[in-house]
Structure formats: structure tokens, C-alpha cells
Amino acid sequence: MTECYIRVAEDENEEPMEIPSEEDGTVLLSTVAAQFPGACGLRYRSPVSQCMRGVRLVEGVLHAPESDWGNLVYVVNYPKDNKRKMDEMDAASAVKIKRGVQKTSDLIVLGLPWKTTEQDLKDYFSTFGEVIMVQVKRDAKTGNSKGFGFVRFTDYETQIKVMSQRHMIDGRWCDCKLPNSKYFLEQAGPDEPMRSRKVFVGRCTEDMTVDELRQFFMQYGEVTDVFIPKPFRAFAFVTFADDQVAQSLCGEDLIIKGTSVHISNAEPKHNNIHHLFSNFPGRSPSLAAMFERSQYQFPSSHV
């Protein structure tokens, strides 16, 4: 029998690739694996029964069904564990495509002199790159500066550069960083909106560890904390350095260790509690504060 080519694809709906057979009409598994790394066999859909059928494999040699490969498209088989890894990679790629180009975040500028104005901030930070927003936070009653403000740049590279150094503004050293929740809550007050850098990971399995979750989510951005409640409650929290990374993952279903987990926003507890008590008849700020200090609060290092 002369050499012929059989049509092979990773999926029935994909464009097939032609793989050469041996002189006796068989196909070496190594030939298939050379084009489809990790392949462990082939299958095809029977024209008669419309069911998938496996191709006989003997000592690394694939034998044609009924002595003739025909014009069928043969689909590659992968080991179960390898397929899981591929699914995880596909899911990660899909999210990265969704995220696209890294977006900039509002940066908090700490230690501003009382006299610094928004124009002063814009003039200073414009030397680094295009500025699309500046704001000096002021007391609602007195109009005096609170000693901090916000700035946002057009380019992510500019944001990274600004965060990597200290800044002399109006004769005083200032720091520029992503908003820290604890400082932000203390200084900005309960009505100030926050962007969460934390995500809620639902449908976790008990065999998932902190290190495994950290390694998985590091492919999307810098991870600053991973928290799995004890006793196990089928969920976890993951905190990123960049709030944009966290927000880009919300609503996604990702594959971790062969399990589909759902990612949603972990809204800051501070906002949830004040919102709850603001709608409660006879609301009391002291009641909300007491609730915040109660036993139902997560450890502060994980909030």
C-alpha cells in the first residue's frame, strides 16, 4: 500500500491537518504527536451510527478502521489531565483577551501641602505624561484640603513610573500609590466610593490550597493576598495589587484544577454595612459601628 494522508483535527469543527501514513497504511502515534503535542490517540464519527469511535492503537501504531482511513476527519484524543491544563489555558487566554491593554487606575497622592491646588497637581504630574484627572480632597464644611488627592494618567506605563518614586510637591515629599483600603476609609469617610482590589472566588473545592490559588491568579496580575476561610466554606478571597485586574475578572468562570469557579466582586465590607444601616428604620451610626466590631467581621488582615 502506498503512502497516503489522513485528515486530523483537535475538534470536529476545526480545519483538519493532513498527517502522512506509513507504507503499510498505518499511522504512527509519534507522527500525530509531532503536530499535536500530548496526543494519545484518535477517534472519529461513524457515518453509520453517528457515534464517536476510537481508532485501534497497538504499541504506538494506529490502525485504519476497516483497513481504510477514507475521507473522515479524525479527532485527537488527549489524556484527561492534559485536557484540563489546556482548558485552564484557554480560559486564561479568554480573560486576557477580554482585558486587553492594561488600563490605568486612580492613584492616591498622600502628604499634600495644604496650599496645593488641583492646577498645581496637574502641572506637576503632566511632566510624567498625559493627565486625564486630578482632584484635591477637601473638607465639605471648611473647604480646606484634607492633605491628599487623586491623579489618573492615560498610559499604564506612566502610572507605573509615577508609583515607583517619591515626589516633591510644593516643597514637601509626597507618595503616589494605589488606594489602600484602611487609609482610604479613615481619611475619606463613609460616603467616598472605593474600587475593590479583592475578588470573591466561588465554588472552590476543599483540595485547593492558598499557594495553588496564588499561583493560578498570578497569571493575571500581582496577587497581594489569598484567604480561604476555616472551616472550609467552598469559597475564597483573592486580592490584587491593581483594582483594574480584579474588576476585569469579575463575572468570569475559570477552570482551576479541573473545577469551574465563579469570580465576582468582593465589595468592601465598609460600604456594605453602611448601606445596610442607611436603609434600616431608625438607623443609627453607632449601631453600624458596633456591628463592624462584632464577631461577624472577618479578620482585619483579610478584609
Side-chain angles (χ1 to χ4, degrees):
M1 184 180 293
T2 59
E3 179 184 76
C4 66
Y5 287 84
I6 68 169
R7 299 192 297 168
V8 180
E10 284 194 336
D11 186 270
E12 285 186 283
N13 299 319
E14 291 185 1
E15 183 178 356
M17 172 184 292
E18 291 189 332
I19 301 292
S21 69
E22 301 302 302
E23 291 185 357
D24 60 359
T26 61
V27 174
L28 299 179
L29 180 60
S30 59
T31 303
V32 177
Q35 303 302 323
F36 302 92
C40 65
L42 294 176
R43 66 185 186 276
Y44 67 99
R45 189 172 297 280
S46 168
V48 179
S49 67
Q50 292 301 306
C51 294
M52 297 301 292
R53 292 182 177 179
V55 175
R56 181 177 289 105
L57 173 66
V58 180
E59 296 181 351
V61 179
L62 292 159
H63 295 265
E66 301 178 3
S67 303
D68 183 13
W69 293 102
N71 292 321
L72 301 174
V73 173
Y74 295 86
V75 181
V76 179
N77 289 333
Y78 290 100
K80 189 175 181 180
D81 289 343
N82 190 47
K83 187 176 187 303
R84 284 182 178 178
K85 291 179 181 179
M86 292 180 63
D87 289 341
E88 291 179 6
M89 291 172 61
D90 290 343
S93 298
V95 174
K96 287 180 179 178
I97 291 173
K98 178 183 176 181
R99 286 171 57 204
V101 179
Q102 283 272 30
K103 296 181 180 179
T104 58
S105 306
D106 290 353
L107 302 180
I108 188 169
V109 187
L110 304 174
L112 286 177
W114 309 120
K115 65 178 181 178
T116 301
T117 65
E118 291 181 351
Q119 187 60 49
D120 293 333
L121 271 186
K122 185 172 184 179
D123 291 343
Y124 174 81
F125 284 112
S126 292
T127 61
F128 293 89
E130 184 179 356
V131 174
I132 58 177
M133 185 279 296
V134 292
Q135 181 184 35
V136 174
K137 296 304 296 183
R138 298 184 180 278
D139 185 274
K141 295 181 180 179
T142 66
N144 295 332
S145 170
K146 289 186 175 183
F148 72 96
F150 294 92
V151 61
R152 187 165 189 163
F153 297 92
T154 301
D155 298 324
Y156 187 76
E157 292 73 16
T158 303
Q159 172 178 309
I160 297 300
K161 182 180 179 181
V162 168
M163 292 172 59
S164 67
Q165 63 188 77
R166 302 195 74 195
H167 305 274
M168 178 64 72
I169 302 176
D170 288 340
R172 185 172 179 180
W173 284 110
C174 301
D175 293 304
C176 198
K177 58 181 67 177
L178 290 167
N180 175 275
S181 59
K182 183 176 180 181
Y183 179 92
F184 196 82
L185 287 175
E186 291 174 350
Q187 301 296 326
D191 298 326
E192 192 67 45
M194 284 181 57
R195 287 187 176 85
S196 177
R197 295 182 288 117
K198 181 187 297 182
V199 296
F200 177 89
V201 185
R203 303 198 295 255
C204 292
T205 55
E206 202 161 358
D207 63 335
M208 294 179 186
T209 67
V210 169
D211 288 339
E212 287 173 338
L213 290 181
R214 184 184 298 275
Q215 287 297 319
F216 177 84
F217 284 102
M218 279 176 58
Q219 64 186 299
Y220 303 109
E222 182 184 352
V223 175
T224 60
D225 185 56
V226 176
F227 175 60
I228 301 177
K230 293 182 181 180
F232 179 70
R233 296 163 63 185
F235 66 83
F237 291 104
V238 176
T239 306
F240 293 92
D242 190 340
D243 63 331
Q244 291 291 336
V245 175
Q247 297 308 309
S248 71
L249 291 174
C250 289
E252 295 290 339
D253 290 300
L254 305 178
I255 305 297
I256 303 178
K257 298 184 70 174
T259 299
S260 175
V261 300
H262 184 71
I263 312 301
S264 58
N265 184 51
E267 185 176 348
K269 179 197 63 188
H270 179 277
N271 287 1
N272 285 338
I273 293 171
H274 279 271
H275 177 73
L276 171 66
F277 282 95
S278 66
N279 294 316
F280 192 81
R283 61 185 182 273
S284 168
S286 60
L287 186 60
M290 182 173 64
F291 186 86
E292 286 182 332
R293 295 192 296 269
S294 74
Q295 59 180 325
Y296 302 104
Q297 179 178 344
F298 281 115
S300 59
S301 60
H302 298 297
V303 176

